[in-house]
Amino acid sequence: MTSSKPSVLFVCVHNAGRSQMAAGWLRHLAGDTVEIRSAGSEPADQINPVAVAAMAEVGIDIVAEHPKKLEPEAVEASDIVITMGCGDTCPFFPGKRYEDWKLDDPAGQDLDAVRPIRDDIRTRIEKLLTEIGGTV
């Protein structure tokens, strides 16, 4: 049985910053009305602690998340695939909606540099939710 919920996959290289923050925002704003996945083409060992701290400032806890390897099955199972700098390493399946979000990479950045990335992601998530009929 297929889910009636829209499904979104966030993909970046390390699945340690941008894609995890995006998944956290979507989970926070949409609750269980959207199926959420995130993955990386070259997953890191752990989530970027500065991304965790930036999200904690706005009441979103992503500390328990772990970077995951991007598998073609995750792309195939998703309605919308949002890439964040993974380029040609992202698999392509016809019939999927793809968006490429140009976002600075929070890797190696301090909290002051990550906050605007976090806030930019929130704005994009809110726009996405209005487009797919989720709650904001």
Side-chain angles (χ1 to χ4, degrees):
M1 180 174 162
T2 57
S3 172
S4 60
K5 296 189 233 184
S7 57
V8 179
L9 170 64
F10 297 102
V11 182
C12 66
V13 176
H14 300 297
N15 190 221
R18 296 167 287 190
S19 56
Q20 293 285 357
M21 288 192 291
W25 272 122
L26 186 55
R27 199 171 294 108
H28 177 74
L29 295 171
D32 64 358
T33 63
V34 178
E35 196 174 330
I36 303 161
R37 299 177 181 90
S38 71
S41 53
E42 298 172 26
D45 293 331
Q46 65 179 21
I47 294 204
N48 180 337
V50 180
V52 171
M55 294 301 285
E57 285 184 341
V58 294
I60 300 171
D61 182 4
I62 61 170
V63 74
E65 298 298 323
H66 299 282
K68 294 168 275 313
K69 176 83 174 138
L70 177 63
E71 301 292 346
E73 296 80 16
V75 178
E76 197 168 17
S78 301
D79 299 315
I80 302 166
V81 180
I82 297 175
T83 59
M84 305 171 181
C86 69
D88 295 336
T89 61
C90 293
F92 180 83
F93 288 90
K96 304 291 175 192
R97 172 179 163 186
Y98 286 86
E99 290 185 24
D100 186 42
W101 290 359
K102 305 285 188 221
L103 296 162
D104 290 335
D105 189 345
Q109 304 288 332
D110 64 17
L111 195 52
D112 287 337
V114 174
R115 284 183 185 116
I117 300 168
R118 173 200 67 203
D119 297 344
D120 185 6
I121 291 170
R122 179 185 180 136
T123 301
R124 292 167 187 255
I125 293 294
E126 289 173 342
K127 179 178 184 288
L128 176 68
L129 276 172
T130 62
E131 292 169 0
I132 63 175
T135 56
V136 177

